[in-house]
């Protein structure tokens, strides 16, 4: 159940999606604070880890690199992979339903802020075989 008074949310205050490649803490979402048009949160990727090629059918995504360095792949309109080195301050736009992947190539952790519009497609991540729900403040 959402709490519409939650306008200021830290990743440690919400449950997170844990995976073998890292974690996603949704800090803005219908189920967190009643957001209706988008959802978003913080992704933490350990060194050498990343999420594999996937898409979010019917949704656009924004990825903002907070810290760390990596390689971001976003397929072009013909399905060809376009790969760029990314670092702090870089904003990546993933068009609707476009396949993409992120890999932390740095020596330390990589942190991203992601936004999905409309909200919802990120919830299919719960169906991945390595998914585990981490309690607020919980570690892997």
């Amino acid at each position: 159940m959402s709490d519409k008074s939650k306008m200021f949310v830290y990743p440690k205050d919400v449950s997170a999606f844990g995976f073998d490649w890292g974690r996603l803490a949704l800090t803005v979402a219908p189920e967190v604070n009643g957001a209706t048009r988008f959802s978003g949160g913080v992704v933490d990727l350990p060194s050498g880890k990343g999420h594999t090629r996937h898409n979010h059918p019917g949704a656009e995504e924004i990825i903002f690199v907070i810290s760390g360095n990596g390689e971001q792949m976003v397929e072009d309109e013909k399905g060809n992979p376009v790969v760029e080195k990314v670092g702090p301050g870089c904003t990546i736009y993933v068009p609707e339903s476009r396949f993409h992947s992120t890999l932390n190539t740095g020596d330390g952790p990589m942190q991203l802020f992601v936004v999905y519009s409309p909200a919802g497609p990120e919830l299919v991540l719960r169906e991945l075989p390595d998914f585990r729900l981490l309690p607020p403040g919980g570690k892997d």
Side-chain angles (χ1 to χ4, degrees):
M1 177 151 159
S2 71
D3 179 352
K4 293 185 181 196
S5 69
K6 287 189 171 184
M7 292 185 288
F8 304 95
V9 182
Y10 290 89
K12 66 178 178 54
D13 296 333
V14 296
S15 58
F17 296 4
F19 305 95
D20 293 344
W21 51 261
R23 60 189 281 142
L24 165 62
L26 290 174
T27 53
V28 177
E31 64 274 16
V32 174
N33 45 21
T36 58
R37 296 188 179 158
F38 57 85
S39 62
V42 177
V43 174
D44 292 295
L45 299 172
S47 181
K49 299 287 185 174
H51 60 76
T52 59
R53 177 186 177 273
H54 69 283
N55 72 341
H56 305 281
E60 296 175 292
E61 183 176 358
I62 297 167
I63 303 169
F64 179 80
V65 181
I66 298 170
S67 62
N69 294 284
E71 287 185 356
Q72 180 67 49
M73 185 281 291
V74 179
E75 290 185 350
D76 67 17
E77 60 281 348
K78 294 180 182 175
N80 299 309
V82 177
V83 179
E84 292 282 334
K85 292 188 183 306
V86 296
C90 184
T91 299
I92 300 106
Y93 168 61
V94 181
E96 182 179 335
S97 306
R98 200 72 59 85
F99 282 92
H100 58 285
S101 63
T102 307
L103 176 64
N104 178 350
T105 59
D107 294 334
M110 184 177 195
Q111 191 171 62
L112 314 169
F113 189 80
V114 296
V115 177
Y116 307 94
S117 178
E122 70 283 356
L123 296 179
V124 301
L125 295 170
R126 291 175 175 253
E127 298 171 14
L128 294 175
D130 63 338
F131 168 81
R132 58 198 174 281
L133 189 62
L134 305 173
K139 302 289 183 193
D140 289 329

